[in-house]
């Protein structure tokens, strides 16, 4: 059985009011074919979890700037002035989280943990409204799991069964998001037959992946 | 202006020891690379998921999957490696970086640093800065001594939202080198182009002048 | 004895659906593999760090780096993959297993299970069993109905130290199939070789007999 | 600079009364050359962190059975009756931890976390003496970091700089232990020149590794 689908099939998978995770660090490791397709749909009231807001003129950043999004959970929006403006004019709710904490929160969801204790952000606004737990005299912020309905991730190679290998610095948030969503859609540059992928170097197992879309 | 920035970067380069693992922030910190002596091997970590970062890629030799944390196409040494964002921040938060160099909007005599937002004006997000300041063994703030309006950025107490509380170890400006200690801010070096009086006048923080004040 | 074990394993095999990701414990659970129909594709996870586990290796074809959780040389399907122990238990604890089948020393009507120690006698340790029972979507206990001395292992309440509290969903013995529900233990099937009276007599736990009692 | 050393150099690195982590799951992924050498030394009052106690007749298991060890922190000792006997006769202190929790505790140390919240073991002896934290009505055990003075790990290939690639199911605890000790010694089957290792598939970066020992 192959998990490869045409990008147009995603019309039936994405719904209004869902939570979407999008992998990538700026442009790198972002599922551009899928994002370009999402930019043609008319989804409403979304929540998006993403490392950064990207650039407003393409794929991820365009989606964040233009789609009907209620809330973005992210570590950085400085590269996308359109998102900044939407925040300033209260059209969108932005929850800013330190990048390492965001990574752990996503991982916690996939790992079945109730959260992790991080020293990052103690004494700053990142600690506001958070539970503080002391261990051996040190204060930590309890960072609780963040999951999503759908994760849109990008890998380099897959086999038909959905095993993934990433390339260079395009890993970033993709492997952890692959574990943290109910439905995981991976865009890949190359789909190999089962048995043709280097199985010692698979980073995301096929058990996590629901659909594969080939990059255009 | 670029003279000033280069002076700061050059002085910071002297802090790097052979074999150090270092993360350099955007702006002045990036310039530090240019001043590291040939016989000092430094292993540069980039929070988007690589270590062993080398120079930016030459035009025509860009690889879409090798970028630095500023989103610019980069290259990697033959001993470099790549990892996901969870691992990248394990390296940062877990104390595996010998040093991080960050820019700042303000820094103060208690080692507090503010570099991620100006309320109601600039809210890019903290990205990886909160993790870097908490996690690296040595935190160096690379900062221009005064604002364009002539106000000291070396404060007695930061009034912008903090990036980290009490984590800065060393402050380097174009005029001065200051060590953060329990007793306060030690002025250890002043620039060749300035006087002790000028430095004290331009510094809001209380300075404890070293008995062995050096020039740089 | 092997007849009894095979009967349990064969019945449990019927619980596995095509495409399921399953972890099989040591002992009777391992035998389940032999009874899965050819048209049901099952993805077997082994907590030492692989998914897509296949049969044990033939003599002369052992690979020192491919073992199952019992330490026996194994083989892997061409869609299999490998990972470290943190990832392996993320899969377990994070709800990514459809099912786990474990042996037990005792199991009770509240879904408690004890299988990791007998105080002052046998203390092997829990290994991965506590994670498996907490994490898998469906937990099946494969257990011989009585001890060698004729005592029921299906207790009203376990008196050995627990592996997990209230996590067992289904109990399969050579005599009976029992579902753990909020109301108590539902007896849904009895073996062809037994009678309802015998099962009730040999079971310490209170049984709620299904209106539609089947034979297996 | 090469990190490759002769195994005999380890005499000067291991001391009495230290904490040692040893990678491997049973025989698989264990640094046998290093363990065989440690079995010739006369170290005293050690604490050892290890997934399981292995087999008493070789390398890891022999070390655990015969060396002067005060305490073993592990998930399973059932395969090594000598260790079991030492526990029963109070010659050694055994701390048993669920395997997935042990993995997270080791990872937490390397990741600079104050710990993680795990649902595993709630309602069992594994929760005794542990801090219980409730998040959204669910109870979790706070599992705090476990580190060591020295980690003895096993990989497949390295380069001279200490980058590591593991093979198949020999990953297990090795990559997480590589992050959690002050000194990390990796045994490898093959040492490649810098630049000859497949740098897209390095699982443990050279920044974590202090010494490389080639397998005999």
């Amino acid at each position: 059985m192959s998990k490869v689908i045409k990008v147009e099939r995603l019309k039936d998978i994405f719904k209004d009011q869902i939570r979407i995770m999008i992998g990538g660090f700026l442009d790198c490791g972002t599922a551009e074919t899928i994002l370009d397709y999402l930019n043609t749909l008319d989804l409403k009231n979304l929540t998006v979890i993403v490392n950064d807001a990207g650039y407003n003129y393409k794929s991820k950043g365009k989606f964040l700037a233009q789609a009907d999004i209620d809330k973005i959970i992210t570590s950085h929006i400085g590269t996308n002035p359109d998102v900044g403006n939407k925040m300033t004019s209260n059209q969108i709710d932005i929850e800013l989280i330190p990048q390492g904490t965001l990574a752990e929160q996503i991982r916690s969801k996939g790992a079945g943990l109730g959260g992790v204790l991080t020293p990052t952000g103690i004494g700053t606004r990142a600690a506001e409204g958070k539970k503080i737990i002391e261990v051996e005299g040190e204060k930590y912020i309890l960072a609780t799991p963040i999951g999503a309905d759908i994760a849109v991730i990008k890998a380099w190679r897959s086999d038909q069964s959905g095993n993934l290998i990433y390339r260079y610095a395009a890993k970033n948030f993709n492997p952890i998001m692959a574990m943290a969503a109910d439905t995981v859609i991976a865009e890949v540059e190359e789909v190999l037959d089962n048995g043709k992928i280097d199985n010692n170097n698979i980073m995301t197992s096929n058990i996590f992946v629901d659909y594969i879309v080939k990059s255009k | 202006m670029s003279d000033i920035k280069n002076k700061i970067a050059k002085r910071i380069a002297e802090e790097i020891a052979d074999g150090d693992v270092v993360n350099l922030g955007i702006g002045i910190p990036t310039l530090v690379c240019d001043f590291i002596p040939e016989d000092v091997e430094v292993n540069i970590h980039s929070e988007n998921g690589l270590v062993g970062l080398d120079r930016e890629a030459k035009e025509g030799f860009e690889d879409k999957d090798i970028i630095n944390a500023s989103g610019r196409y980069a290259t990697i040494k033959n001993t470099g490696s790549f990892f996901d964002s969870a691992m990248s921040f394990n390296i940062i938060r877990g104390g595996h970086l010998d040093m991080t160099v960050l820019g700042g909007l303000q820094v103060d005599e208690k080692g507090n640093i503010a570099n991620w937002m100006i309320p109601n004006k600039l809210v890019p997000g903290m990205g990886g800065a909160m993790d870097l300041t908490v996690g690296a063994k040595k935190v160096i703030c690379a900062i221009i001594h005064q604002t364009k309006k002539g106000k000291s950025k070396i404060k007695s107490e930061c009034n912008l939202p903090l990036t980290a509380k009490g984590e800065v170890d060393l402050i380097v400006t174009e005029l001065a080198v200051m060590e953060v200690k329990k007793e306060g801010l030690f002025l250890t070096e002043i620039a060749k182009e300035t006087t002790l009086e000028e430095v004290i006048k331009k510094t809001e923080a209380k300075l404890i002048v070293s008995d062995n004040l050096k020039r740089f």
Side-chain angles (χ1 to χ4, degrees), chain A, chain B:
Chain A
M1 204 203 62
S2 171
K3 290 178 179 169
V4 180
I5 60 167
K6 288 211 160 74
V7 71
E8 291 78 14
R9 268 282 307 282
L10 298 180
K11 194 170 64 233
D12 308 321
I13 296 168
F14 284 83
K15 313 278 178 197
D16 293 345
Q17 297 176 325
I18 61 171
R19 287 166 71 92
I20 306 174
M21 279 181 175
I22 303 172
F25 188 106
L26 295 169
D27 264 1
C28 189
T30 300
E32 299 199 7
T33 298
I34 297 177
L35 267 303
D36 286 345
Y37 181 71
L38 293 186
N39 279 324
T40 70
L41 299 182
D42 188 26
L43 298 164
K44 294 197 188 307
N45 300 110
L46 303 173
T47 296
V48 179
I49 297 116
V50 67
N51 173 60
D52 60 82
Y55 307 114
N56 60 5
Y57 52 85
K58 68 184 288 199
S59 74
K60 178 180 82 178
K62 190 173 173 188
F63 181 69
L64 295 173
Q66 298 185 3
D68 181 349
I69 296 170
D70 293 338
K71 181 175 183 176
I72 302 177
I73 300 171
T74 185
S75 81
H76 200 263
I77 60 167
T79 51
N80 194 327
D82 290 357
V83 171
N85 292 338
K86 275 177 128 176
M87 176 179 65
T88 313
S89 59
N90 291 316
Q91 292 175 65
I92 197 165
D93 179 18
I94 304 282
E95 184 178 346
L96 288 167
I97 298 179
Q99 199 167 130
T101 304
L102 182 62
E104 285 299 310
Q105 291 186 276
I106 294 167
R107 180 184 182 273
S108 281
K109 175 67 185 182
L113 299 171
V116 301
L117 306 190
T118 179
T120 300
I122 286 288
T124 76
R125 288 198 179 188
E128 283 174 17
K130 299 292 194 312
K131 191 167 182 169
I132 307 298
I133 293 172
E134 216 169 297
V135 181
E136 294 185 5
E138 290 291 320
K139 283 183 181 160
Y140 297 93
I141 294 172
L142 172 61
T144 51
I146 295 179
D149 298 299
I150 298 179
V152 175
I153 64 169
K154 168 72 172 51
W156 178 32
R157 286 180 167 158
S158 76
D159 61 11
Q160 300 279 345
S161 80
N163 286 307
L164 304 181
I165 293 178
Y166 304 88
R167 189 168 173 276
Y168 298 156
K171 297 179 175 73
N172 55 62
F173 278 74
N174 291 301
I176 48 176
M177 288 181 171
M179 302 192 290
D182 295 338
T183 300
V184 175
I185 307 164
E187 177 175 329
V188 302
E189 294 168 50
E190 203 178 338
V191 181
L192 303 171
D193 286 340
N194 291 339
K196 296 289 181 194
I197 200 164
D198 170 11
N199 72 347
N200 195 41
N201 292 313
I202 291 165
M203 195 160 175
T204 295
S205 160
N206 56 15
I207 67 170
F208 293 115
V209 179
D210 298 291
Y211 302 104
I212 299 281
V213 170
K214 202 163 171 303
S215 291
K216 274 178 184 162
Chain B
M1 190 60 159
S2 84
D3 278 1
I4 284 177
K5 289 181 177 175
N6 281 328
K7 185 167 178 88
I8 296 171
K10 192 178 171 194
R11 176 59 190 84
I12 289 172
E14 293 173 23
E15 298 293 313
I16 296 175
D18 191 37
D20 273 359
V21 184
V22 175
N23 184 296
L24 302 173
I26 296 167
I28 302 174
T30 305
L31 302 176
V32 172
C33 267
D34 298 339
F35 297 99
I36 298 169
E38 292 246 329
D39 60 333
V40 173
E41 205 179 312
V42 57
N43 206 348
I44 298 182
H45 171 272
S46 188
E47 64 265 35
N48 55 308
L50 57 149
V51 73
L53 185 72
D54 209 341
R55 295 173 188 284
E56 289 194 7
K58 284 183 192 147
E59 219 184 303
F61 291 87
E62 300 92 347
D63 183 314
K64 71 177 187 350
D65 293 331
I66 307 182
I67 64 165
N68 61 27
S70 311
R72 299 181 69 90
Y73 294 113
T75 61
I76 188 158
K77 292 183 179 175
N78 73 356
T79 52
S81 58
F82 304 92
F83 28 77
D84 68 22
S85 298
M87 173 63 97
S88 187
F89 283 84
N90 290 350
I91 291 172
I92 292 171
R93 208 179 33 230
H96 307 287
L97 294 183
D98 295 297
M99 188 189 297
T100 188
V101 185
L102 297 101
L105 296 165
Q106 297 177 340
V107 61
D108 73 24
E109 59 190 61
K110 295 189 184 81
N112 299 324
I113 179 170
N115 73 354
W116 72 281
M117 75 172 287
I118 303 172
N120 304 320
K121 199 169 160 193
L122 180 76
V123 192
M126 65 291 279
M130 288 190 179
D131 297 283
L132 283 161
T133 40
V134 165
K137 286 180 196 156
K138 183 169 184 173
V139 177
I140 300 182
C141 179
I143 190 167
I144 293 172
H145 211 95
Q146 293 183 301
T147 65
K148 283 173 195 160
K149 293 183 179 167
K151 281 195 170 179
S152 175
K153 294 186 189 174
I154 321 301
K155 316 280 283 182
S156 49
E157 190 166 353
C158 293
N159 52 28
L160 289 173
L162 296 184
T163 304
K165 203 170 166 181
E167 296 287 353
V168 175
D169 299 294
L170 191 75
I171 303 164
V172 179
T173 76
E174 75 282 15
L175 297 179
V177 178
M178 293 153 281
E179 284 178 27
V180 182
K181 295 192 176 179
K182 272 185 191 157
E183 305 85 341
L185 205 54
F186 274 71
L187 180 69
T188 57
E189 300 176 36
I190 62 172
K192 290 195 189 76
E193 302 83 1
T194 189
T195 60
L196 180 58
E197 291 64 34
E198 188 193 5
V199 170
I200 290 172
K201 199 178 137 196
K202 289 184 169 174
T203 306
E204 182 194 303
K206 194 181 159 193
L207 293 173
I208 305 169
V209 182
S210 166
D211 293 339
N212 182 23
L213 194 68
K214 289 180 186 156
R215 294 277 179 170
F216 76 102

